[in-house]
Amino acid sequence: MSAPYALSSLKENLNRFPRVPLVHGPTPFYKLEALSEWLGGPSIYVKRDDLTGMAMGGNKSRKLEYILADARRAGADTILTWGGRQSNWCLQTAASSRMIGLDPVLVLFGLGDIERDGNLFLDTVLQADIRFVEGVKGKVIKPAEALEILNPIADQLRAQGRRPYVVPVGGSWLAGDMTKPLGAVAYVAAYAEMLAQADAAGIEVGHVVHATGSGGTQAGLVVGAKALAPHCKVTGVSVSDPAVSFSREVLTIAAQTDEFLELGLGIAAGDITVEDAHIGEGYGILNKATSEALQAVFMREGLVLDPVYTAKAMAGLIDFVRAGTLSSDKAVVFFHTGGTPALFPYRDQLLAFLS
Ligand SMILES: *Cc1c(COP(=O)(O)O)cnc(C)c1O
């Protein structure tokens, strides 16, 4: 199968869009030698998007480069978004907004006592305007529901003479003021960046595995793969939603991205693979397999995963190798999407599973 696009022409396409520089890239790409040997399957490589550089890193910095450029274009002076109390997205948004002189307003969903730890600690240090709202255990709040709370806040801010730009959690869906799939566009570019590194290392990538949450990362990687390397399969390991409904959401974003970039790839349901065996009891709830995956990789590679996203994805990858579902003649790339600051607030849950 030859690729519809050359790397250089896709890059030219992507370079049309303005960005606020936030990412110190390209992020590292290398083989996880000890993990590959331990599992005895295909060679496993890691793409270190936990090392994007800003505010302890993660996939959201790539997305915000494009999204904040759009907010600037719209003349915004305030960024209004939502997430859970330990939202990596909210921290990344608050930090990058501050960097360019925009005021961050965060609506944080959660339950129980408020502990200023991890991401929430850093949000507080950044003096983000934080509004705490009651959440639902194990669930990510979707745009329709969240906007019922955010729209009145946006109205209040406007009444005070501010110019808010409302952006959905994760920067994936078209919602609020985000009318272009800019978060996913960032991950088309990330796929291209990874492919250039793989080419330089002389390896062929057969499979990409990563954590999927709001779907923009997966949508972008799928579009990138279909444009540049159609034999490469992308599997998103869901951290919250069942595969059937979530695949549809990823498909929507991927199709929007294909159209926005005028690639004409014709993304279809068969291009989207979401695996949902590692959700456990829901978003942000740890289980034994996830905790053990985090420990196993840390002990072998010195690589720190996070409890909410990347350790669940790694538990998935380990299962795929053990089940023999990944072919051994091509490399597997694990996208480490970040989440490091959320590790510490989970210390008690994690230690309970590891004792
Ligand atoms: C947000 C996030 C993801 C998921 O990315 P989406 O584009 O929302 O699917 C994965 N890993 C980490 C650490 C994240 O913060």
Side-chain angles (χ1 to χ4, degrees), residues 25-310:
T27 57
F29 174 81
Y30 59 89
K31 186 173 174 186
L32 296 173
E33 298 278 359
L35 183 70
S36 304
E37 193 178 324
W38 177 56
L39 291 173
S43 295
I44 300 166
Y45 284 71
V46 65
K47 176 66 172 156
R48 294 289 305 272
D49 271 13
D50 58 319
L51 298 180
T52 46
M54 181 194 65
M56 306 186 82
N59 62 342
K60 305 312 181 318
S61 349
R62 283 196 195 266
K63 297 175 170 200
L64 285 158
E65 289 198 325
Y66 293 85
I67 295 167
L68 288 189
D70 193 54
R72 255 189 179 159
R73 176 204 52 79
D77 61 11
T78 303
I79 301 289
L80 173 57
T81 191
W82 78 89
R85 287 184 193 158
Q86 282 304 328
S87 167
N88 302 310
W89 160 256
C90 285
L91 171 64
Q92 291 276 309
T93 302
S96 54
S97 298
R98 282 284 183 236
M99 282 170 72
I100 63 166
L102 306 181
D103 289 329
V105 182
L106 309 177
V107 175
L108 300 184
F109 291 85
L111 292 167
D113 294 344
I114 291 164
E115 283 177 69
R116 305 248 175 200
D117 196 358
N119 283 305
L120 181 55
F121 165 66
L122 296 171
D123 296 337
T124 306
V125 174
L126 285 164
Q127 294 191 308
D129 174 351
I130 302 172
R131 319 282 176 98
F132 291 101
V133 177
E134 199 176 316
V136 183
K137 190 169 192 233
K139 287 262 179 309
V140 175
I141 309 293
K142 302 275 166 142
E145 205 180 321
L147 289 174
E148 281 182 30
I149 295 168
L150 269 76
N151 285 337
I153 297 175
D155 289 341
Q156 272 168 14
L157 290 166
R158 277 188 285 267
Q160 293 161 5
R162 318 244 8 144
R163 294 186 303 278
Y165 180 95
V166 178
V167 48
V169 62
S172 298
W173 298 294
L174 302 191
D177 292 301
M178 209 179 87
T179 56
K180 303 166 202 138
L182 295 170
V185 166
Y187 266 82
V188 179
Y191 188 94
E193 182 180 300
M194 181 278 293
L195 189 67
Q197 290 170 311
D199 287 350
I203 62 152
E204 200 179 342
V205 179
H207 215 119
V208 168
V209 177
H210 69 97
T212 193
S214 66
T217 299
Q218 183 165 10
L221 292 173
V222 164
V223 169
K226 191 149 187 175
L228 298 172
H231 60 269
C232 175
K233 187 168 171 182
V234 176
T235 298
V237 179
S238 176
V239 301
S240 55
D241 288 37
V244 174
S245 60
F246 195 70
S247 303
R248 262 184 259 126
E249 293 182 29
V250 176
L251 177 60
T252 301
I253 303 166
Q256 287 162 347
T257 308
D258 182 26
E259 192 187 326
F260 178 64
L261 295 175
E262 300 170 86
L263 293 170
L265 298 169
I267 305 289
D271 296 321
I272 313 294
T273 306
V274 174
E275 193 270 344
D276 63 5
H278 293 84
I279 298 169
E281 286 176 56
Y283 179 77
I285 304 174
L286 260 172
N287 58 32
K288 194 163 175 63
T290 302
S291 308
E292 285 174 354
L294 189 148
Q295 185 175 48
V297 172
F298 189 25
M299 287 179 69
R300 285 172 180 79
E301 297 286 351
L303 181 66
V304 181
L305 301 173
D306 84 288
V308 181
Y309 292 96
T310 51

Side-chain angles (χ1 to χ4, degrees), residues 285-346:
I285 304 174
L286 260 172
N287 58 32
K288 194 163 175 63
T290 302
S291 308
E292 285 174 354
L294 189 148
Q295 185 175 48
V297 172
F298 189 25
M299 287 179 69
R300 285 172 180 79
E301 297 286 351
L303 181 66
V304 181
L305 301 173
D306 84 288
V308 181
Y309 292 96
T310 51
K312 280 188 180 173
M314 182 56 81
L317 190 156
I318 290 170
D319 274 3
F320 302 150
V321 174
R322 291 197 168 138
T325 48
L326 304 173
S327 69
S328 281
D329 56 336
K330 293 197 181 97
V332 179
V333 174
F334 180 76
F335 259 80
H336 188 331
T337 43
T340 315
L343 180 60
F344 299 97
Y346 279 85

